[in-house]
Amino acid sequence: MLKRWSWMLLVSLSVGALVAPAGFAQAPIRIGVIEPLSGPVAASGNYVRMGAEIARDWINARGGVSGRKVELVIEDNKSDPKEAASAAEKLIVRDKVPAIMGAWGSSMTLAAMPKLEEYGVPMVVETSSASTITKRGNPWIFRISPPSEMEALGLEQYLDKLAVKRADFLAVNTDWGRGAVTAFGDMLKKKGAAVGAAEFMDQKDTDMNAQITKIKGGGGDTLFLTTAVEQITLVLKQSQEQRLTRKIITTGGSSSPSQLIKQAGPAAEGSYHIVFFMPWFPEAMPDGKLAKAFVDEWTKRGHPFEGLTEGFRGHDGIATIAEAVKIAGKDEPKAIQAALWKVSFTGVNGPIKFEKDGPAGKESGQSKPSIFVVQIKDGKVALPDFLAKK
Amino acid sequence: MDALLQHLVNGLVLGGTYALLGIGLTLIFGLMNLVNFAHGELYTLGAYATFAALALGGLNFFAAVALAIALGAVVGAACERLLLRPLRGESIDTTMLVMIGLWIALQNGELLAWGGVAKSIPHPFPTAPLTLGPVGIAPLRLFVMATALVLIVAAWLLIQRTRLGRAMRATFQDRETAALMGVRIDRIHTATFAFGSALAAAAGALLGPIFLAYPSMGDLASLKAFSVVILGGLGNLPGATLGGLLLGIAEELGAGYVSSGYRDAVGFVIIILVLLFRPSGLFTRAERIG
Amino acid sequence: MRRTLGALVGVALLALPLWLTSAYHLHVAIMAGIFTILALSLNLLLGYTGQLSLGHAAFFGIGAYTSALLALRLEWPFWLGLPAAAVAAGLAGWAIGRLALKVRGAYFVLVTISFAGVIALVSVNWMELTNGPLGLPGVPAPSLAGVSFRTKTAYYYLVLVGAAGAYLLCRRLVRSRVGRAFLALRENEPLAESVGIDPTRTLVLAAVVSAALAGVAGSLYAHYTRFVSPEVFLFNYTVTMVIMVVAGGKGTLAGPVVGALVFTVLPEALREAVAWQWQMLAYGVLLVLLVFFLPRGIVGGGVAVGTRDEGPPRGLPAEGPAQQRRADGSPGPALQVENLSADFGGVAALADVSFTVRPGTITSLIGPNGAGKTTAFNAITGFLRPRRGRVTFGDASLLGRRACDIAARGVVRTFQKTSVFPALTVADNVMVGLHLAGSAGFAAIVASRPRVWAEESRLRAEAADIVEFVGLQHRRAVTAGSLPYGEQRLVELAVALAARPRLLLLDEPGAGMTGAEKERLVELIRRLREQGLTVLLVEHDMRLVMGISDTVIVLNHGRVIAEGPPATMQAHPDVIRAYLGGRRA
């Protein structure tokens, strides 16, 4: 008897929680945020969230957008595409957000995209790098992060200075890693460099010695490394143990060189990193004042310094949406979508302005973010020699 | 040839750590018939405990590791007493489910407490690798292997030479008779779970400095531990040790010579093949403990 | 009462889109429906056949990918993609089913995990086929006669039909002869084999059906979310399914449905109710609490067993069940054992044992403990492979055949330790024994053909007769596991009789019985002989043995030391020495 009642209670509570009104408020502008806040990449997702919160607070401190406060509705996609789609559904239908920022990983973003089309709500993509996202013909997608091809182009100019003659790849076995391998490989071949082996590692792997041994035997002079910062740390340490002496270039912008210095120590020495934000010398960013202010605010809040290289994405994403709402004059999805095409301002990373990308008539928006290269020298992050004269 | 040697050395070091994970689980799985999904979480706990002891408590490295192992035992005993004992008579699915719940709760609790950023655990060993001919191995790894070996031998001695170990073996073989002979089954269960958890925590404490500590580190560890247990046979300590080494080497060679993308598949395929031809594991003829 | 409840639930489900106005709620309902199919499918393996498969996400994923790829690459319509997904997943299930033969228990768990792991890695690495980690976006929604199922409401009804179909299929299966075979394998595999149930075929069937259903769920998922990526193979999906089945109540029909509903709604409800930092922690804690308070699941405590009580049996059997079987009433052939030898490690359990059991007689096999009597039984009935020897029953050789095949030939044995199907009622125990007397196969059961139900009635009547024959009619609907020991032995006998033996091997049937129970047992065995049944008996009660046997065979240390009528055996010096020891004053 007790058991019957227990389960009925459980079911009622669950249904009740669902059916209860979502407590809607007219005045604030609500922006949805979908990030991986739990699971293996929880750190990155949380950094983006922290950056988004700084943007929100700054906007509200300045009086909000057209006098209305900005409110963030944050959902966890648990690093699972199914959850990303559910989160999008909930944000759009229950919370009635007119715009979303998300969803970090490319497969999560791809999973949420049909919902955007179904309901007609725009989403600003802040991290995902798969080129298909903007090529699928989804007019509700606006990306401020660079696809891998753009990243590779950003490095092209430095290829000679870096003296890359024969490169190998070690990448995480996801869309991001594979995309990077293809994009950078194509770019290298175009410039006449040789491409050696492409090795992969599973997202959860902690021991990459086998791959490193293979690469060591290949005789190249450069190793392109694309994965999350924890795995980069492990690869660097294990490469040092195996005395791999070639230069290492990490791609993707998530390498957080400060964290590498802390955790990999001397193993990180000499490595190059493609980043989209340089918190060590924010004055060198396109809007130096804004960048410095962001770094200061982040530090003031006690967030780890290592998170800045990802946290800025959250800021820029929210700032973009807020800008669009301002231009549109109302927080209505279709108006925001139209307004996003008119957005042109400078975020922490640099100028944000969307160009058409994808099949005609259904283009997505792709901005051209600034791309930087830094190096770890003497235990500190510095501009590489060939850039230091700036 | 050099590459092969390096692969083999890599494989041995990796395998030693798999073995450490496996022997704790084989005791729990074998004696208590429990699909312990939370085993990986004790591993994670060991790593975080070491980190906390070092970073917050200011202890030296070896004391921190010892503390982590002790904590693993205590937490294991508490889990058994609070969660498993009341569910003693239930089916294996029920106890498995409670372990799943514990797994989710512990992992997300750790996420909440420490954040998602991986923590680096400092250690006193030099980072420059020792070279033995064409092969390089880091001193820390050597320490890990040595300690793992010591722990394995200690476990073996405990099972074979002490009263407690004898009681454990008896309970494994025939619970009712053991109870009739005066063995306190309740205590044996608690002791077994505590012991297995302590070993898992030890693995985490030792591997944390090599691999970093983060909340989801236990997932893969759990899976490898299960594989090692099955390879070696339930309740078979030497089997688990050998199985761990074998798995490590096989994975290393597979990743080195077949394809790095399919690295984990090598382990899976081996398991399937082994079980097809030797259903009780590679090293057992009949299930036994010790 | 149950009918009206069912009807009410049905109406509520049909009308759901009318009062669930939010599209988000419909989304949750659709996901719940898809997971209901998944949970039902896993329940077939986990709950009914008792095989813990932790690789179920593999079947789900295979179904999703098959359906998606066929739609994207070959432009197949959904209505072809769905059955194709079921077939593809079913094939994978067949592979697992065949593997399950070799390994059980914990080992099977790991094989399934490994299998799922391999499939997951293939989906990530085989870029040409699956597009690897980038996944397959743009899977089209189903359309019928120009009408697209893109809207939530339409898809909800599609999923509802799917879930209802899956439920109906499981219900029919579980309440049938096939379902009983599943349960029998879970409850007591050797006993099931001894009445002719083929574990291979049954497990494979369970695995195939289970996998195919999961494949259907996968296809529905793919065309709803319209994006398939390797994450469908995530272990988390399997864990979720297991939670739904076990916490819902495994081995029942309603359990997985309730579990799917609760555990689809719960995470979404937590999204609403709890800040994101605490969601997963709360989920874990809630799960632990749920297991604590409802260890058998929400719809707990019980094996939903197929047969419903149809009331008192028709007619009164004047003679035993054997009468209904053989028209001519003549006894079966003789059992011939020659040079049977078997070893355990270094010990010779049987050494060159030869004897004959003449048809229509009661022969007893006696000897001190460890003489090899049960070993001989095991060797004859296929539960043990002897080193060498010949065993023939009539003109058919039994050696090397599987236990279930030997049972099909009419050689049925009971077990030394009381062996019943504990969670089934007495009547259902006997119905399992009647497995070979029925012939309804999977297809006929699912289609619910009339002859299937006619057969069920016939079998139930026969079961009732058998139950009455052993004198347990007052215990017909009681769970066998809760009966007192002596009555359990009678159940065992009833089950063996139901398998229509021509030769019945009874292993210590009287052990632990009271005097009165033994009297009744002797009476039963005598009646069986009268009906032409040949009986080979192992017993320790000498009074019983000498009183009932036509022939007595004496074993000691694995050898036949004497054979003949009871009176001679009682006075035989070798026999006395074997029982009482060698030294005489």
Side-chain angles (χ1 to χ4, degrees):
Chain A
M1 192 55 185
L2 177 65
K3 291 187 180 177
R4 279 277 173 75
W5 283 113
S6 313
W7 78 258
M8 277 204 238
L9 188 67
L10 188 66
V11 174
S12 330
L13 272 178
S14 316
V15 175
L18 257 191
V19 177
F24 72 119
Q26 286 284 23
I29 298 172
R30 312 175 78 208
I31 302 179
V33 175
I34 306 177
E35 295 293 325
L37 300 170
S38 64
V41 289
S44 303
N46 276 291
Y47 290 148
V48 174
R49 171 187 59 85
M50 294 172 194
E53 284 165 352
I54 292 181
R56 169 200 63 196
D57 294 337
W58 276 354
I59 293 171
N60 288 341
R62 291 196 291 263
V65 175
S66 313
R68 297 166 65 183
K69 279 200 159 337
V70 167
E71 201 180 273
L72 296 180
V73 188
I74 301 176
E75 287 296 331
D76 180 6
N77 67 28
K78 301 174 186 138
S79 311
D80 180 356
K82 167 169 84 72
E83 294 297 319
S86 278
E89 182 98 38
K90 178 197 171 265
L91 284 172
I92 295 172
V93 177
R94 290 278 291 165
D95 300 303
K96 304 210 187 335
V97 300
I100 303 177
M101 175 181 77
W104 203 85
S106 298
S107 19
M108 288 146 245
T109 304
L110 283 167
M113 278 165 65
K115 303 284 179 194
L116 304 174
E117 262 189 299
E118 183 178 344
Y119 295 106
V121 173
M123 182 160 91
V124 170
V125 177
E126 87 297 347
T127 310
S128 308
S129 65
S131 52
T132 56
I133 289 175
T134 42
K135 302 247 190 285
R136 287 209 54 79
N138 187 324
W140 300 92
I141 286 285
F142 294 85
R143 175 157 57 178
I144 59 173
S145 52
S148 306
E149 291 77 16
M150 221 178 252
E151 231 194 298
L153 275 176
L155 188 69
E156 200 180 347
Q157 48 184 313
Y158 305 121
L159 222 49
D160 299 322
K161 305 265 181 34
L162 285 166
V164 178
K165 297 274 186 338
R166 187 189 162 83
D168 298 300
F169 292 91
L170 179 56
V172 64
N173 201 355
T174 63
D175 45 86
W176 172 37
R178 288 197 175 256
V181 169
T182 313
F184 280 86
D186 290 343
M187 184 271 290
L188 283 169
K189 287 191 205 136
K190 220 174 63 177
K191 293 278 288 187
V195 171
E199 295 297 321
F200 293 96
M201 46 201 164
D202 189 87
Q203 212 171 25
K204 297 211 190 109
D205 276 347
T206 49
D207 190 301
M208 275 64 75
N209 279 304
Q211 291 93 323
I212 294 171
T213 305
K214 247 169 123 171
I215 288 170
K216 192 164 153 204
D221 56 65
T222 311
L223 173 61
F224 280 90
L225 188 51
T226 307
T227 182
V229 61
E230 286 87 8
Q231 260 186 334
I232 296 180
T233 306
L234 294 169
V235 170
L236 289 176
K237 284 167 89 167
Q238 287 161 19
S239 300
Q240 184 188 48
E241 282 167 24
Q242 288 204 40
R243 285 164 299 141
L244 188 77
T245 49
R246 67 198 66 183
K247 76 170 110 24
I248 295 182
I249 304 177
T250 71
T251 82
S254 303
S255 55
S256 186
S258 306
Q259 190 170 333
L260 289 177
I261 294 174
K262 261 171 88 173
Q263 294 182 343
E269 188 65 24
S271 54
Y272 294 90
H273 305 276
I274 297 179
V275 293
F276 311 126
F277 179 41
M278 297 186 292
W280 318 273
F281 9 93
E283 308 78 16
M285 299 294 293
D287 185 345
K289 267 182 58 192
L290 175 62
K292 179 114 179 53
F294 184 71
V295 175
D296 291 339
E297 179 68 25
W298 181 277
T299 320
K300 203 170 79 174
R301 293 185 180 211
H303 296 327
F305 188 84
E306 303 81 60
L308 276 163
T309 42
E310 285 192 271
F312 80 93
R313 303 192 214 248
H315 171 277
D316 283 357
I318 298 301
T320 307
I321 296 177
E323 185 69 18
V325 175
K326 196 163 88 183
I327 295 175
K330 48 184 165 161
D331 61 340
E332 194 268 313
K334 207 146 178 16
I336 295 179
Q337 182 207 26
L340 278 165
W341 287 110
K342 305 200 189 106
V343 157
S344 175
F345 76 111
T346 309
V348 171
N349 162 268
I352 296 179
K353 185 164 156 53
F354 294 106
E355 319 253 319
K356 287 185 190 257
D357 193 5
K362 299 189 287 176
E363 294 94 344
S364 314
Q366 174 72 56
S367 177
K368 216 165 170 295
S370 318
I371 295 173
F372 312 96
V373 181
V374 296
Q375 190 186 20
I376 296 180
K377 274 195 294 208
D378 301 321
K380 286 210 252 292
V381 182
L383 287 173
D385 292 325
F386 50 84
L387 286 178
K389 307 314 200 303
K390 269 181 85 169
Chain B
M1 193 52 196
D2 284 359
L4 177 62
L5 279 177
Q6 183 69 54
H7 278 307
L8 281 175
V9 169
N10 294 342
L12 272 177
V13 176
L14 192 63
T17 52
Y18 286 164
L20 202 54
L21 278 170
I23 55 178
L25 189 62
T26 203
L27 288 174
I28 293 175
F29 208 163
L31 191 137
M32 300 167 68
N33 198 32
L34 175 70
V35 186
N36 184 11
F37 275 111
H39 199 68
E41 291 312 306
L42 268 308
Y43 170 79
T44 310
L45 187 74
Y48 272 114
T50 313
F51 172 76
L54 283 167
L56 306 175
L59 295 173
N60 81 56
F61 181 70
F62 304 99
V65 170
L67 182 70
I69 298 178
L71 188 66
V74 167
V75 170
C79 284
E80 199 281 328
R81 189 71 192 74
L82 295 173
L83 289 179
L84 291 171
R85 194 179 296 188
L87 295 174
R88 182 72 61 74
E90 299 297 337
S91 73
I92 186 174
D93 304 308
T94 308
T95 48
M96 178 180 71
L97 205 64
V98 98
M99 288 289 111
I100 290 177
L102 187 65
W103 168 32
I104 295 175
L106 278 178
Q107 189 171 124
N108 284 281
E110 248 135 22
L111 182 60
L112 210 57
W114 300 104
V117 186
K119 302 268 183 258
S120 174
I121 301 179
H123 61 89
F125 297 95
T127 44
L130 300 171
T131 42
L132 310 155
V135 168
I137 180 170
L140 175 63
R141 286 189 186 237
L142 216 48
F143 166 72
V144 167
M145 261 230 83
T147 313
L149 210 62
V150 166
L151 285 171
I152 291 172
V153 170
W156 168 252
L157 285 175
L158 184 131
I159 296 293
Q160 291 292 98
R161 296 287 160 84
T162 65
R163 273 189 68 189
L164 177 64
R166 196 164 50 231
M168 283 164 79
R169 276 182 288 140
T171 312
F172 176 78
Q173 289 180 24
D174 191 335
R175 170 171 312 226
E176 279 153 1
T177 311
L180 287 171
M181 291 293 118
V183 171
R184 301 276 296 269
I185 304 293
D186 281 352
R187 289 221 186 126
I188 296 299
H189 272 229
T190 310
T192 307
F193 201 81
F195 185 57
S197 303
L199 286 176
L206 289 172
L207 291 179
I210 296 184
F211 287 140
L212 305 175
Y214 51 97
S216 51
M217 64 192 288
D219 293 350
L220 200 60
S222 263
L223 192 62
K224 304 283 178 180
F226 275 113
S227 316
V228 168
V229 165
I230 300 299
L231 272 178
L234 276 176
N236 186 339
L237 246 74
T241 312
L242 287 171
L245 289 172
L246 199 72
L247 187 64
I249 294 176
E251 273 190 10
E252 190 60 29
L253 291 177
Y257 291 109
V258 178
S259 152
S260 47
Y262 280 106
R263 178 218 192 96
D264 289 331
V266 170
F268 289 138
V269 170
I270 288 182
I271 288 165
I272 294 178
L273 286 175
V274 164
L275 288 180
L276 277 183
F277 295 110
R278 298 210 51 151
S280 306
L282 279 175
F283 306 108
T284 23
R285 250 173 297 139
E287 284 171 21
R288 59 189 174 89
I289 195 169
Chain C
M1 174 54 190
R2 283 176 92 174
R3 288 264 171 85
T4 36
L5 188 64
L8 274 175
V9 168
V11 168
L13 286 174
L14 276 173
L16 202 74
L18 295 177
W19 52 273
L20 264 195
T21 46
S22 161
Y24 170 63
H25 291 151
L26 265 183
H27 162 78
V28 175
I30 292 173
M31 292 305 286
I34 292 176
F35 270 93
T36 302
I37 303 176
L38 271 176
L40 281 170
S41 78
L42 181 62
N43 190 32
L44 274 181
L45 269 183
L46 208 168
Y48 284 100
T49 340
Q51 301 294 323
L52 179 56
S53 159
L54 285 185
H56 225 66
F59 306 130
F60 177 63
I62 289 175
Y65 264 99
T66 306
S67 198
L69 283 170
L70 286 173
L72 287 172
R73 302 273 163 87
L74 295 179
E75 290 177 23
W76 279 26
F78 166 77
W79 313 103
L80 284 180
L82 182 85
V87 166
L91 276 173
W94 180 82
I96 287 290
R98 297 232 52 124
L99 277 175
L101 282 182
K102 300 271 190 163
V103 297
R104 300 279 202 230
Y107 304 101
F108 180 66
V109 172
L110 204 76
V111 167
T112 55
I113 295 178
S114 306
F115 179 75
V118 171
I119 301 278
L121 283 167
V122 166
S123 81
V124 167
N125 285 294
W126 195 358
M127 304 275 299
E128 300 78 35
L129 180 66
T130 65
N131 210 23
L134 287 138
L136 299 169
V139 180
S143 66
L144 187 60
V147 174
S148 169
F149 276 76
R150 278 178 94 94
T151 64
K152 290 245 181 7
T153 315
Y155 214 90
Y156 168 76
Y157 283 116
L158 180 64
V159 168
L160 186 63
V161 166
Y167 180 79
L168 204 63
L169 186 142
C170 287
R171 207 171 99 121
R172 285 192 182 157
L173 199 60
V174 153
R175 289 175 179 206
S176 70
R177 176 178 167 263
V178 170
R180 277 194 296 273
F182 289 168
L183 286 169
L185 279 183
R186 178 190 80 188
E187 292 288 301
N188 191 334
E189 191 172 319
L191 183 61
E193 275 189 279
S194 76
V195 298
I197 293 177
D198 184 340
T200 316
R201 280 186 56 186
T202 314
L203 277 174
V204 169
L205 181 65
V208 169
V209 174
S210 172
L213 272 181
V216 166
S219 173
L220 285 170
Y221 172 82
H223 290 270
Y224 173 61
T225 57
R226 284 184 252 131
F227 173 70
V228 181
S229 66
E231 277 91 354
V232 292
F233 292 110
L234 276 178
F235 190 59
N236 280 338
Y237 280 86
T238 302
V239 171
T240 307
M241 281 184 241
V242 169
I243 293 175
M244 287 174 179
V245 173
V246 179
K250 66 179 165 104
T252 67
L253 280 172
V257 178
V258 170
L261 187 68
V262 170
F263 286 95
T264 308
V265 169
L266 189 63
E268 296 298 326
L270 282 174
R271 237 192 246 286
E272 297 266 332
V274 165
W276 59 265
Q277 300 97 313
W278 299 93
Q279 272 171 30
M280 287 310 287
L281 181 60
Y283 185 78
V285 170
L286 278 174
L287 184 59
V288 171
L289 286 176
L290 182 73
V291 175
F292 242 76
F293 290 111
L294 298 171
R296 297 276 160 78
I298 297 173
V299 180
V303 180
V305 173
T307 51
R308 234 173 298 189
D309 213 352
E310 283 283 306
R314 277 167 283 277
L316 205 58
E319 300 83 22
Q323 194 66 0
Q324 295 150 340
R325 264 170 285 146
R326 269 185 303 288
D328 54 7
S330 64
L335 176 78
Q336 196 98 346
V337 174
E338 290 165 43
N339 302 110
L340 199 59
S341 302
D343 308 310
F344 288 127
V347 177
L350 292 174
D352 267 332
V353 168
S354 302
F355 57 85
T356 308
V357 177
R358 288 191 310 285
T361 63
I362 298 177
T363 308
S364 289
L365 192 62
I366 66 173
N369 274 325
K373 310 184 291 295
T374 302
T375 312
F377 265 29
N378 288 338
I380 293 170
T381 52
F383 283 90
L384 174 75
R385 177 160 258 134
R387 198 163 39 87
R388 62 187 176 86
R390 261 168 58 89
V391 177
T392 48
F393 186 55
D395 47 5
S397 166
L398 296 185
L399 219 52
R401 289 188 190 275
R402 295 179 307 161
C404 48
D405 294 328
I406 294 178
R409 284 177 186 285
V411 178
V412 181
R413 52 93 49 98
T414 64
F415 293 83
Q416 193 176 11
K417 259 182 75 163
T418 317
S419 210
V420 295
F421 301 112
L424 305 187
T425 63
V426 171
D428 284 320
N429 265 265
V430 179
M431 288 289 281
V432 172
L434 285 169
H435 184 85
L436 288 177
S439 63
F442 173 74
I445 289 170
V446 167
S448 202
R449 305 278 293 276
R451 68 173 172 89
V452 168
W453 304 113
E455 181 184 277
E456 279 287 301
S457 301
R458 185 171 51 80
L459 292 178
R460 243 176 269 136
E462 191 172 335
D465 289 345
I466 298 175
V467 167
E468 184 161 342
F469 178 74
V470 300
L472 286 177
Q473 61 269 42
H474 58 295
R475 300 290 212 189
R476 220 176 33 214
V478 176
T479 338
S482 58
L483 285 175
Y485 179 76
E487 290 184 355
Q488 282 191 12
R489 298 239 87 175
L490 288 175
V491 172
E492 224 188 318
L493 181 63
V495 170
L497 288 177
R500 301 182 175 183
R502 293 187 292 170
L503 167 64
L504 185 62
L505 290 87
L506 298 173
D507 199 340
E508 300 192 33
M513 278 191 178
T514 65
E517 287 169 337
K518 280 192 201 177
E519 296 283 340
R520 200 164 76 182
L521 179 69
V522 164
E523 191 41 48
L524 283 175
I525 298 179
R526 282 220 179 89
R527 283 178 76 184
L528 290 173
R529 178 183 52 187
E530 279 156 33
Q531 283 145 26
L533 190 58
T534 313
V535 177
L536 178 61
L537 186 62
V538 163
E539 247 307 326
H540 280 295
D541 181 340
M542 284 303 126
R543 237 173 27 108
L544 192 158
V545 165
M546 301 305 173
I548 198 178
S549 316
D550 302 312
T551 316
V552 174
I553 305 169
V554 187
L555 282 185
N556 192 20
H557 292 317
R559 287 177 192 283
V560 176
I561 57 172
E563 182 173 350
T568 327
M569 293 297 103
Q570 277 172 312
H572 200 294
D574 290 334
V575 174
I576 299 175
R577 205 189 345 250
Y579 271 98
L580 295 178
R583 306 276 201 78
R584 304 213 65 203

